Amino acid sequence: MERIETFAYDDGIVRKFVLATVLWGVVGMLVGLVIALQLAVPELNFGLPWTTFGRLRPLHTNAVIFAFAGNTIFAGIYYSTQRLCKARMFSDTLSKIHFWGWQTIIVSAAITLLCGITVSKEYAELEWPIDIGITLIWVVFAINFFGTLIKRREQHIYVALWFYIATIVTVAVLHIVNSLAIPVSLFKSYSVFAGVQDGLVQWWYGHNAVAFFLTTPFLGLMYYFMPKAAERPVYSYRLSIVHFWSLVFLYIWAGPHHLLNTSLPEWAQTTGMLFSVMLIAPSWGGMINGLLTLRGAWDKLRTDPILKFFVVGITFYGMSTFEGPMMSVRSINALSHYTDYTIGHVHAGALGWNGFISFGMIYFLLPKLWKVPVYSQRLVMAHFWTATIGIVLYILSMWTAGITQGLMWRQFTEAGMLQYPDFIETVVKLKPFYWIRVLGGALYFIGILLAAYNVIKTLGVSKRAKADLTDSSAQAKALVPTTLTGSWHHKLEGRPVLFTVLTLIAVLIGGMVEIVPMLAIASNIPTIPSVKPYTALELEGRDIYIREGCYTCHSQMVRPFRDEVIRYGEYSKSGEFVYDHPFQFGSKRTGPDLHRVGKKYPDFWHYRHMKDPSSVVKGSIMPPYPWLFNNDLNLSLTKRKLEVMKQLGVPYSEGEITNSESNLKSQAATIASNLITQGAPADSTLQNKEIIALVAYLQRLGTDIKGDTK
Amino acid sequence: MNIIFVLLPLSLLLGGFFLGAYIWSVRSKQMEDLNTPPLRMLADDDCQTIINQKGE
């Protein structure tokens, strides 16, 4: 007996997410513009802890990924899922909790990151209380989404929904595993993993964050909004299914391409490289499908700015998913790694693919949600052209900067010496490109300002017209249940494959809960006997390094290349990092690699350099850190830090833990008196300051192994 | 590289989940008709849009 049911879609939640998207897009891109300017004009760091590049950069990445892209994804998923399922969202309450919970997470991220409360793992910087919040809200989202799927009135699960499923499931696993840490205090924790292992877990997460937060949900959105906007069906539904499944299976293995030519074992690097190259196929499947949806209707592109956004966005997706695999080839990566080329690649994908799909979707949704036409089509066009030119300037400047710097690093004179032995020479060369990037980014930012203006005006028109914003109603036949009758377990047994899979999952979860802690500790067996744990003072210094975001500009991984060994010293061995919770390999060399900086310069050099880098290194764009000389080192957590490290397998003795504070103070006193001997102003309080801890840490880096060639 | 004992089962678990989902989708006839879904989603509008379109 078929029943036609009338129901209403929740439009209100979509409206909320759309507005949040625009707001955070403006905020996140503004921060991006600021940090781009800081690289060209270092004075814009303002000499304050909360405004340094090291603290603002994670704010930018978190805002544009989780606040801007995140809210876009939720807006699009909530809109399309309801309509594809022909059902209202499972729970209005869960929808609201999801929305407000996510915005709360964003605000707490902004506050904590500016305060230097960070784990320093890229795109996973937030400390453990917020991580728990993210997990809870993600579970709310999952229940709401899967609940809607279960009560759907449309039997067929459209391909977009499969992309959403992949997103929700995988992001949950990635987030939980990479965030595993033991808390030291409410605002500080140490990663369960260390060194190379932590690096692998981090980039298994990091690349899959790109895959399952920035790619799969956006492909899902593309499969819904592109056909809708073009009023044409998807080019090949079969292709969409094939590329979905192959994408999902291949992406998980691509993570090691972030660790090529590092001390990650070679077989792991090769695996990442191979899978990354194979990934071109399913990625381009998506691109082809999206673009060819317009076959027979290309003329619509001339007049419709929404289609312009989608087509250019998909094109950038295709470009990035070709460039990425190329950069995953070891020999190419040898040139591009740590340079601005990576930044260029990221922003082609982020501004081109993520940004443009978001904008196209928002402009498409505005009339549907607020029941009036978009306020100004001309502004939409202006946005499109401004932003496109912005992207082109951005990526051209970063490509040039990256290749220039990469080539300069590895250039030798005919006599066999480094052509550019001073790192600063390669920095100074990039300044013009940094300015062009500022211009490109500014244009893109102006674009989103145009969008925000257009959105606000549209809302104004809608309000004045007293547009009827009641939820859109729809009608559909109720689904005839096809399951077996009886208890849930009886139904499950009727599906042997599903049952097996679920059992397997249950077993594996259990197994892993036991294995992870065991391995996390067992894996810290030192492979190099001379490598010892950091002293209490050095550990505090390391935590300052993390707090100030030094890793955003400095790497700690000397690669086994002739030019690097000559420039920095012996290449980095994986055994040197076994006590590094979390690892600090870094992804970028705006400044030189630091893994062998220990004892390279006298203590006083570091004192003067941290106080005012450009007075010590002419042309330096590094900001000064004067507060390190005023702030007393906080010792209230030192003992607990060593205890947590010991829990994680770092072999501190009982004596080292009990006497941590006095050991720290005596090491600090020695360093302070050395500094005064070398020329620092005489000051009896110097030994209590944070700078002493940081100097201790920097001077320790890379000194544990013997046979240092420098 | 002991971390592989964590990442490998985890990735296999994720892969296994998706394998299961794929097998489920085939068995529950999700792939039987690949022609109507792309057309149906184009027309899945709400009542007001249908009324608007009919009124044209």
Side-chain angles (χ1 to χ4, degrees), chain A residues 80-148:
Chain A
S80 59
T81 300
Q82 294 185 85
R83 285 155 177 80
L84 289 169
C85 290
K86 293 212 170 23
R88 190 185 179 86
M89 285 313 291
F90 174 67
S91 159
D92 285 6
T93 309
L94 288 183
S95 301
K96 291 196 186 80
I97 295 175
H98 178 189
F99 176 78
W100 291 110
W102 196 255
Q103 313 314 317
T104 309
I105 287 165
I106 294 167
V107 171
S108 52
I111 297 170
T112 53
L113 288 174
L114 289 182
C115 291
I117 296 169
T118 169
V119 175
S120 78
K121 294 176 75 166
E122 286 185 77
Y123 328 124
E125 291 93 344
L126 304 174
E127 270 288 1
W128 65 274
I130 309 180
D131 280 341
I132 291 176
I134 293 171
T135 309
L136 289 173
I137 299 301
W138 200 258
V139 167
V140 163
F141 175 41
I143 295 173
N144 210 6
F145 175 81
F146 284 106
T148 313

Side-chain angles (χ1 to χ4, degrees), chain A residues 386-423:
Chain A
T386 314
T388 302
I389 295 170
I391 298 175
V392 172
L393 285 174
Y394 196 111
I395 57 185
L396 285 180
S397 60
M398 289 298 98
W399 284 345
T400 317
I403 295 177
T404 301
Q405 194 173 35
L407 288 175
M408 285 176 84
W409 287 341
R410 55 162 59 173
Q411 183 139 357
F412 283 93
T413 65
E414 280 178 8
M417 319 237 283
L418 288 173
Q419 180 81 47
Y420 303 100
D422 290 329
F423 191 91

Side-chain angles (χ1 to χ4, degrees), chain A residues 83 86 154-157 170 177 193 196-197 204 224 227-228 237 241 245 249 252 473 508 512 519, chain B residues 1 3 5 7 10-11 13 15 17-18 22-25 30-31 34 37 40-42 44-47:
Chain A
R83 285 155 177 80
K86 293 212 170 23
E154 174 51 62
Q155 167 77 314
H156 179 82
I157 298 178
T170 315
V177 173
F193 314 102
V196 170
Q197 325 242 10
W204 169 82
Y224 183 80
K228 282 292 206 187
Y237 198 62
I241 292 173
W245 288 108
F249 282 122
I252 307 275
S473 60
L508 277 173
M512 266 181 330
L519 282 175
Chain B
M1 212 7 69
I3 198 64
F5 291 122
L7 287 179
L10 202 58
S11 300
L13 184 153
F17 171 83
F18 286 115
Y22 174 76
I23 294 172
W24 172 85
S25 74
Q30 289 286 325
M31 314 271 201
L34 296 184
R40 187 179 345 151
M41 64 81 68
L42 279 180
D44 70 349
D45 297 314
D46 49 66
C47 297

Side-chain angles (χ1 to χ4, degrees), chain A residues 330-609:
Chain A
R330 217 188 249 111
S331 48
I332 296 178
N333 189 272
L335 178 65
S336 70
H337 196 194
Y338 303 118
T339 70
D340 283 298
Y341 197 95
T342 311
I343 313 301
H345 168 69
V346 166
H347 286 84
L351 305 187
W353 164 242
N354 299 118
F356 274 25
I357 297 295
S358 304
F359 300 138
M361 186 190 86
I362 289 170
Y363 288 123
F364 175 84
L365 284 177
L366 275 183
K368 303 265 189 284
L369 294 172
W370 277 279
K371 314 293 189 205
V372 293
V374 174
Y375 173 72
S376 163
Q377 284 295 315
R378 291 186 66 197
L379 278 181
V380 180
M381 285 288 194
H383 178 187
F384 171 76
W385 286 111
T386 314
T388 302
I389 295 170
I391 298 175
V392 172
L393 285 174
Y394 196 111
I395 57 185
L396 285 180
S397 60
M398 289 298 98
W399 284 345
T400 317
I403 295 177
T404 301
Q405 194 173 35
L407 288 175
M408 285 176 84
W409 287 341
R410 55 162 59 173
Q411 183 139 357
F412 283 93
T413 65
E414 280 178 8
M417 319 237 283
L418 288 173
Q419 180 81 47
Y420 303 100
D422 290 329
F423 191 91
I424 190 64
E425 297 176 85
T426 72
V427 172
V428 165
K429 202 78 166 181
L430 304 181
K431 205 160 191 176
F433 305 119
Y434 285 160
W435 276 113
I436 298 173
R437 184 255 301 272
V438 165
L439 179 58
L443 286 175
Y444 197 82
F445 179 62
I446 288 170
I448 199 177
L449 286 180
L450 294 176
Y453 178 76
N454 217 348
V455 167
I456 293 170
K457 288 300 240 186
T458 307
L459 262 58
V461 170
S462 173
K463 200 160 181 189
R464 275 192 300 277
K466 294 192 175 30
D468 181 9
L469 297 185
T470 44
D471 292 340
S472 339
S473 60
Q475 290 179 327
K477 285 185 228 146
L479 264 192
V480 177
T482 55
T483 56
L484 300 172
T485 54
S487 70
W488 65 269
H489 206 262
H490 192 228
K491 286 180 200 156
L492 203 52
E493 286 157 12
R495 298 187 173 89
V497 175
L498 178 61
F499 193 76
T500 311
V501 168
L502 288 175
T503 313
L504 175 69
I505 290 171
V507 165
L508 277 173
I509 289 175
M512 266 181 330
V513 164
E514 284 153 26
I515 291 176
V516 170
M518 184 201 86
L519 282 175
I521 293 164
S523 63
N524 292 329
I525 301 161
T527 52
I528 302 176
S530 59
V531 171
K532 298 276 181 274
Y534 296 107
T535 65
L537 182 66
E538 290 155 9
L539 189 60
E540 289 288 359
R542 185 172 209 265
D543 284 342
I544 293 172
Y545 183 97
I546 287 172
R547 183 187 80 197
E548 301 302 337
C550 303
Y551 67 92
T552 60
C553 289
H554 291 282
S555 57
Q556 288 184 21
M557 172 59 68
V558 180
R559 296 177 290 176
F561 301 149
R562 201 169 122 241
D563 65 280
E564 292 211 358
V565 169
I566 294 176
R567 187 185 294 280
Y568 299 115
E570 183 64 20
Y571 66 90
S572 304
K573 318 284 189 286
S574 59
E576 299 182 72
F577 301 107
V578 289
Y579 302 133
D580 287 12
H581 293 265
F583 80 118
Q584 288 294 297
F585 291 178
S587 310
K588 178 75 168 55
R589 285 177 188 162
T590 310
D593 186 278
L594 296 179
H595 193 222
R596 296 279 173 238
V597 81
K599 302 274 189 269
K600 197 171 189 172
Y601 306 106
D603 291 353
F604 192 44
W605 186 94
H606 287 292
Y607 178 100
R608 292 189 303 124
H609 182 242

